[in-house]
Amino acid sequence: MGAEHNTDELACLGEWVAVGHKAALATVVSTWGSSPRPVGSHLVINDQGEFLGSVSGGCIEGAVVAEALEVMADGDPRTLDFGVSDEEAWDVGLSCGGAIRIYLERVE
Amino acid sequence: MKRALLEELQCARIAKIPVALVTELDVGAQALVYTDHLVASELTFDLSRLAEIRSLLRTARSGLLNDSSLFVRSYVPAYRLLIIGAVHIAQALATLARECDYRVTVIDPRRAFATEQRFHNAELCPEWPDEAMARLAPDAQTAVVTLAHDPKIDDPALMAALDSQAFYIGALGSRRTHEKRCERLAQQGFGEFLGRINAPIGLNLGGRSHAEIAVAILAQIIQARYNE
């Protein structure tokens, strides 16, 4: 992919796995109301806490990275919901007024 | 996701083959669906489901399928931008378009212009536009922009673009330049298609610098892509 390597989330994910890192893939599967990233957007995370891409305007990435480390440990894929009606979402600061569902999975 | 599935997905993307990754969100089972066949499947689909998945894939959309927990992520090759004329505006336009995920090709037979140093993030074609355009075959996911300001470079590219399904065609030059250009192209038999050419090029943002003009051009390309 040449120059795309530095910004392509899946290429980055593949490289991490190839050099022995554990890694996880987060994907926006649905959105409601105003949310900054379209369905299908990816965030990839490795076991060092490094990440590339985004699933929001930056407001929930921290929470997703933390959850990803657990997915890497236990291997169970899961769905995460963030939204204005969700008190935890306010804790991590989803202030855009929308809601997002994210699917989080480990690369096996 | 299985590592082998990720590798196959990446192979398809690198080969520029459209592919959908389908995930059953409750159990995590996955499949890759292509426009003509289905592989690496931990899932089975009936014909109507398969048709729904391919309908999303063909239109480059992703989303949940109705009445199911199946999520479809479509991966389609990047849209292309063909720039004719490796000029100053082209340098800024190539960089901006790359950020917007366009695959950029710069065509200019003048090798002093089309250098790696000036265009590190674009594919360079130091060929005459008629040859380059025949090889690159613009399709409905391609935008064509002529910036050379030289009819013997720009005109053949515009004729090839007008012969194609390119979703956007733009040509740099003043109204007067464009009038003369239209006369030449009409003589070549393109009279009824000249309305497809955006000229003067770009949205009227008022900017004057090479980078500002590049923004105006890219903005018009984005508008054409999403407001068909």
mmCIF file of all heavy atoms in Angstrom, chain B residues 58-60 76-82 102-103 137-144 165-168 225 228:
data_model
loop_
_atom_site.group_PDB
_atom_site.id
_atom_site.type_symbol
_atom_site.label_atom_id
_atom_site.label_comp_id
_atom_site.label_asym_id
_atom_site.label_seq_id
_atom_site.Cartn_x
_atom_site.Cartn_y
_atom_site.Cartn_z
ATOM 1 N N ARG B 58 -21.739 -2.830 -3.574
ATOM 2 C CA ARG B 58 -21.673 -2.129 -4.864
ATOM 3 C C ARG B 58 -21.776 -0.614 -4.704
ATOM 4 O O ARG B 58 -21.252 0.130 -5.511
ATOM 5 C CB ARG B 58 -22.786 -2.636 -5.796
ATOM 6 C CG ARG B 58 -22.349 -3.802 -6.665
ATOM 7 C CD ARG B 58 -23.352 -4.067 -7.759
ATOM 8 N NE ARG B 58 -24.636 -4.466 -7.216
ATOM 9 C CZ ARG B 58 -24.958 -5.718 -6.912
ATOM 10 N NH1 ARG B 58 -24.093 -6.687 -7.116
ATOM 11 N NH2 ARG B 58 -26.134 -6.011 -6.410
ATOM 12 N N THR B 59 -22.468 -0.174 -3.644
ATOM 13 C CA THR B 59 -22.634 1.264 -3.453
ATOM 14 C C THR B 59 -21.703 1.796 -2.354
ATOM 15 O O THR B 59 -21.871 2.911 -1.877
ATOM 16 C CB THR B 59 -24.095 1.603 -3.107
ATOM 17 O OG1 THR B 59 -24.507 0.771 -2.013
ATOM 18 C CG2 THR B 59 -25.010 1.360 -4.281
ATOM 19 N N ALA B 60 -20.730 0.951 -1.967
ATOM 20 C CA ALA B 60 -19.690 1.352 -1.015
ATOM 21 C C ALA B 60 -20.262 1.805 0.327
ATOM 22 O O ALA B 60 -19.745 2.709 0.954
ATOM 23 C CB ALA B 60 -18.811 2.450 -1.613
ATOM 24 N N VAL B 76 -13.984 -0.694 -0.639
ATOM 25 C CA VAL B 76 -13.904 -0.524 -2.090
ATOM 26 C C VAL B 76 -12.641 0.268 -2.402
ATOM 27 O O VAL B 76 -12.152 1.027 -1.564
ATOM 28 C CB VAL B 76 -15.144 0.209 -2.655
ATOM 29 C CG1 VAL B 76 -16.405 -0.607 -2.428
ATOM 30 C CG2 VAL B 76 -15.286 1.572 -2.024
ATOM 31 N N PRO B 77 -12.084 0.071 -3.610
ATOM 32 C CA PRO B 77 -10.870 0.804 -3.951
ATOM 33 C C PRO B 77 -11.090 2.308 -3.841
ATOM 34 O O PRO B 77 -12.194 2.803 -4.080
ATOM 35 C CB PRO B 77 -10.595 0.406 -5.405
ATOM 36 C CG PRO B 77 -11.342 -0.874 -5.594
ATOM 37 C CD PRO B 77 -12.536 -0.809 -4.699
ATOM 38 N N ALA B 78 -10.038 3.020 -3.477
ATOM 39 C CA ALA B 78 -10.125 4.468 -3.321
ATOM 40 C C ALA B 78 -10.536 5.129 -4.637
ATOM 41 O O ALA B 78 -10.200 4.650 -5.717
ATOM 42 C CB ALA B 78 -8.780 5.014 -2.872
ATOM 43 N N TYR B 79 -11.281 6.226 -4.520
ATOM 44 C CA TYR B 79 -11.551 7.039 -5.693
ATOM 45 C C TYR B 79 -10.226 7.568 -6.243
ATOM 46 O O TYR B 79 -9.262 7.742 -5.503
ATOM 47 C CB TYR B 79 -12.470 8.206 -5.324
ATOM 48 C CG TYR B 79 -13.935 7.868 -5.386
ATOM 49 C CD1 TYR B 79 -14.442 6.792 -4.689
ATOM 50 C CD2 TYR B 79 -14.808 8.646 -6.144
ATOM 51 C CE1 TYR B 79 -15.798 6.479 -4.756
ATOM 52 C CE2 TYR B 79 -16.163 8.331 -6.208
ATOM 53 C CZ TYR B 79 -16.649 7.247 -5.516
ATOM 54 O OH TYR B 79 -17.978 6.946 -5.587
ATOM 55 N N ARG B 80 -10.203 7.834 -7.531
ATOM 56 C CA ARG B 80 -8.958 8.323 -8.151
ATOM 57 C C ARG B 80 -9.091 9.779 -8.574
ATOM 58 O O ARG B 80 -10.173 10.242 -8.939
ATOM 59 C CB ARG B 80 -8.633 7.491 -9.403
ATOM 60 C CG ARG B 80 -8.132 6.106 -9.104
ATOM 61 C CD ARG B 80 -7.641 5.438 -10.382
ATOM 62 N NE ARG B 80 -8.704 5.269 -11.358
ATOM 63 C CZ ARG B 80 -8.489 4.966 -12.640
ATOM 64 N NH1 ARG B 80 -7.258 4.842 -13.107
ATOM 65 N NH2 ARG B 80 -9.507 4.815 -13.459
ATOM 66 N N LEU B 81 -7.978 10.462 -8.525
ATOM 67 C CA LEU B 81 -7.889 11.812 -9.082
ATOM 68 C C LEU B 81 -6.730 11.824 -10.074
ATOM 69 O O LEU B 81 -5.592 11.517 -9.705
ATOM 70 C CB LEU B 81 -7.642 12.841 -7.968
ATOM 71 C CG LEU B 81 -7.278 14.255 -8.446
ATOM 72 C CD1 LEU B 81 -8.389 14.862 -9.289
ATOM 73 C CD2 LEU B 81 -6.961 15.154 -7.250
ATOM 74 N N LEU B 82 -7.038 12.146 -11.326
ATOM 75 C CA LEU B 82 -5.997 12.269 -12.349
ATOM 76 C C LEU B 82 -5.773 13.762 -12.586
ATOM 77 O O LEU B 82 -6.705 14.479 -12.953
ATOM 78 C CB LEU B 82 -6.427 11.592 -13.650
ATOM 79 C CG LEU B 82 -6.912 10.138 -13.541
ATOM 80 C CD1 LEU B 82 -7.235 9.577 -14.929
ATOM 81 C CD2 LEU B 82 -5.880 9.264 -12.850
ATOM 82 N N TYR B 102 -8.068 10.032 -1.818
ATOM 83 C CA TYR B 102 -8.017 9.808 -3.261
ATOM 84 C C TYR B 102 -6.652 9.231 -3.616
ATOM 85 O O TYR B 102 -5.647 9.591 -3.009
ATOM 86 C CB TYR B 102 -8.228 11.115 -4.040
ATOM 87 C CG TYR B 102 -9.661 11.582 -4.014
ATOM 88 C CD1 TYR B 102 -10.155 12.278 -2.919
ATOM 89 C CD2 TYR B 102 -10.522 11.300 -5.067
ATOM 90 C CE1 TYR B 102 -11.475 12.681 -2.867
ATOM 91 C CE2 TYR B 102 -11.845 11.706 -5.028
ATOM 92 C CZ TYR B 102 -12.316 12.394 -3.930
ATOM 93 O OH TYR B 102 -13.623 12.786 -3.883
ATOM 94 N N ARG B 103 -6.654 8.347 -4.598
ATOM 95 C CA ARG B 103 -5.416 7.866 -5.177
ATOM 96 C C ARG B 103 -5.068 8.852 -6.293
ATOM 97 O O ARG B 103 -5.852 9.038 -7.219
ATOM 98 C CB ARG B 103 -5.646 6.475 -5.775
ATOM 99 C CG ARG B 103 -4.508 5.554 -5.631
ATOM 100 C CD ARG B 103 -4.929 4.093 -5.607
ATOM 101 N NE ARG B 103 -6.104 3.761 -6.365
ATOM 102 C CZ ARG B 103 -6.087 3.270 -7.606
ATOM 103 N NH1 ARG B 103 -4.957 3.117 -8.271
ATOM 104 N NH2 ARG B 103 -7.221 2.941 -8.201
ATOM 105 N N ALA B 137 -7.566 4.695 -17.992
ATOM 106 C CA ALA B 137 -9.000 4.413 -18.180
ATOM 107 C C ALA B 137 -9.888 4.965 -17.063
ATOM 108 O O ALA B 137 -10.362 4.212 -16.217
ATOM 109 C CB ALA B 137 -9.206 2.902 -18.331
ATOM 110 N N PRO B 138 -10.116 6.273 -17.036
ATOM 111 C CA PRO B 138 -10.969 6.838 -15.987
ATOM 112 C C PRO B 138 -12.359 6.191 -15.975
ATOM 113 O O PRO B 138 -12.927 5.920 -17.032
ATOM 114 C CB PRO B 138 -11.069 8.327 -16.354
ATOM 115 C CG PRO B 138 -10.434 8.493 -17.679
ATOM 116 C CD PRO B 138 -9.612 7.289 -17.964
ATOM 117 N N ASP B 139 -12.875 5.929 -14.760
ATOM 118 C CA ASP B 139 -14.201 5.332 -14.624
ATOM 119 C C ASP B 139 -15.080 6.238 -13.759
ATOM 120 O O ASP B 139 -14.705 7.385 -13.475
ATOM 121 C CB ASP B 139 -14.093 3.917 -14.036
ATOM 122 C CG ASP B 139 -13.393 3.916 -12.685
ATOM 123 O OD1 ASP B 139 -13.277 5.003 -12.065
ATOM 124 O OD2 ASP B 139 -12.956 2.842 -12.244
ATOM 125 N N ALA B 140 -16.223 5.736 -13.338
ATOM 126 C CA ALA B 140 -17.194 6.560 -12.605
ATOM 127 C C ALA B 140 -16.707 6.921 -11.200
ATOM 128 O O ALA B 140 -17.342 7.705 -10.501
ATOM 129 C CB ALA B 140 -18.531 5.841 -12.530
ATOM 130 N N GLN B 141 -15.583 6.351 -10.766
ATOM 131 C CA GLN B 141 -14.978 6.707 -9.473
ATOM 132 C C GLN B 141 -13.711 7.539 -9.683
ATOM 133 O O GLN B 141 -12.805 7.529 -8.858
ATOM 134 C CB GLN B 141 -14.645 5.441 -8.666
ATOM 135 C CG GLN B 141 -15.856 4.737 -8.072
ATOM 136 C CD GLN B 141 -16.630 3.932 -9.092
ATOM 137 O OE1 GLN B 141 -16.041 3.215 -9.888
ATOM 138 N NE2 GLN B 141 -17.946 4.067 -9.096
ATOM 139 N N THR B 142 -13.641 8.221 -10.822
ATOM 140 C CA THR B 142 -12.441 8.991 -11.156
ATOM 141 C C THR B 142 -12.799 10.454 -11.435
ATOM 142 O O THR B 142 -13.787 10.731 -12.110
ATOM 143 C CB THR B 142 -11.760 8.409 -12.424
ATOM 144 O OG1 THR B 142 -11.543 7.020 -12.237
ATOM 145 C CG2 THR B 142 -10.427 9.102 -12.698
ATOM 146 N N ALA B 143 -11.972 11.354 -10.886
ATOM 147 C CA ALA B 143 -12.067 12.781 -11.212
ATOM 148 C C ALA B 143 -10.865 13.149 -12.077
ATOM 149 O O ALA B 143 -9.768 12.638 -11.866
ATOM 150 C CB ALA B 143 -12.067 13.622 -9.939
ATOM 151 N N VAL B 144 -11.090 14.017 -13.061
ATOM 152 C CA VAL B 144 -10.011 14.440 -13.964
ATOM 153 C C VAL B 144 -9.908 15.965 -13.918
ATOM 154 O O VAL B 144 -10.912 16.667 -14.093
ATOM 155 C CB VAL B 144 -10.278 13.978 -15.413
ATOM 156 C CG1 VAL B 144 -9.159 14.441 -16.340
ATOM 157 C CG2 VAL B 144 -10.447 12.462 -15.489
ATOM 158 N N GLN B 165 -16.590 7.822 -18.150
ATOM 159 C CA GLN B 165 -17.655 8.015 -17.162
ATOM 160 C C GLN B 165 -17.182 8.867 -15.981
ATOM 161 O O GLN B 165 -17.860 8.905 -14.955
ATOM 162 C CB GLN B 165 -18.107 6.648 -16.623
ATOM 163 C CG GLN B 165 -18.728 5.747 -17.670
ATOM 164 C CD GLN B 165 -20.072 6.285 -18.116
ATOM 165 O OE1 GLN B 165 -20.916 6.607 -17.289
ATOM 166 N NE2 GLN B 165 -20.266 6.410 -19.420
ATOM 167 N N ALA B 166 -16.016 9.517 -16.098
ATOM 168 C CA ALA B 166 -15.465 10.290 -14.980
ATOM 169 C C ALA B 166 -16.554 11.115 -14.292
ATOM 170 O O ALA B 166 -17.336 11.790 -14.964
ATOM 171 C CB ALA B 166 -14.345 11.205 -15.477
ATOM 172 N N PHE B 167 -16.609 11.052 -12.934
ATOM 173 C CA PHE B 167 -17.702 11.742 -12.239
ATOM 174 C C PHE B 167 -17.449 13.233 -12.125
ATOM 175 O O PHE B 167 -18.366 14.002 -11.832
ATOM 176 C CB PHE B 167 -17.943 11.146 -10.843
ATOM 177 C CG PHE B 167 -16.913 11.512 -9.801
ATOM 178 C CD1 PHE B 167 -17.097 12.608 -8.970
ATOM 179 C CD2 PHE B 167 -15.768 10.752 -9.650
ATOM 180 C CE1 PHE B 167 -16.146 12.951 -8.005
ATOM 181 C CE2 PHE B 167 -14.809 11.087 -8.690
ATOM 182 C CZ PHE B 167 -15.000 12.190 -7.874
ATOM 183 N N TYR B 168 -16.217 13.660 -12.400
ATOM 184 C CA TYR B 168 -15.894 15.085 -12.335
ATOM 185 C C TYR B 168 -14.829 15.399 -13.381
ATOM 186 O O TYR B 168 -13.837 14.667 -13.510
ATOM 187 C CB TYR B 168 -15.360 15.460 -10.939
ATOM 188 C CG TYR B 168 -14.895 16.905 -10.843
ATOM 189 C CD1 TYR B 168 -15.781 17.909 -10.473
ATOM 190 C CD2 TYR B 168 -13.579 17.260 -11.150
ATOM 191 C CE1 TYR B 168 -15.376 19.234 -10.408
ATOM 192 C CE2 TYR B 168 -13.165 18.584 -11.088
ATOM 193 C CZ TYR B 168 -14.065 19.561 -10.718
ATOM 194 O OH TYR B 168 -13.663 20.874 -10.657
ATOM 195 N N ARG B 225 -19.045 14.441 -6.013
ATOM 196 C CA ARG B 225 -19.100 13.042 -5.611
ATOM 197 C C ARG B 225 -20.336 12.727 -4.768
ATOM 198 O O ARG B 225 -20.935 11.675 -4.910
ATOM 199 C CB ARG B 225 -17.833 12.707 -4.825
ATOM 200 C CG ARG B 225 -17.843 11.323 -4.217
ATOM 201 C CD ARG B 225 -16.484 10.998 -3.660
ATOM 202 N NE ARG B 225 -16.535 9.791 -2.859
ATOM 203 C CZ ARG B 225 -15.475 9.244 -2.285
ATOM 204 N NH1 ARG B 225 -14.291 9.802 -2.419
ATOM 205 N NH2 ARG B 225 -15.592 8.152 -1.564
ATOM 206 N N GLU B 228 -24.658 13.622 -6.462
ATOM 207 C CA GLU B 228 -24.949 13.168 -7.820
ATOM 208 C C GLU B 228 -26.439 13.315 -8.113
ATOM 209 O O GLU B 228 -27.271 13.106 -7.277
ATOM 210 C CB GLU B 228 -24.532 11.706 -7.976
ATOM 211 C CG GLU B 228 -23.047 11.545 -7.871
ATOM 212 C CD GLU B 228 -22.683 10.081 -7.563
ATOM 213 O OE1 GLU B 228 -22.879 9.649 -6.443
ATOM 214 O OE2 GLU B 228 -22.199 9.425 -8.476
#
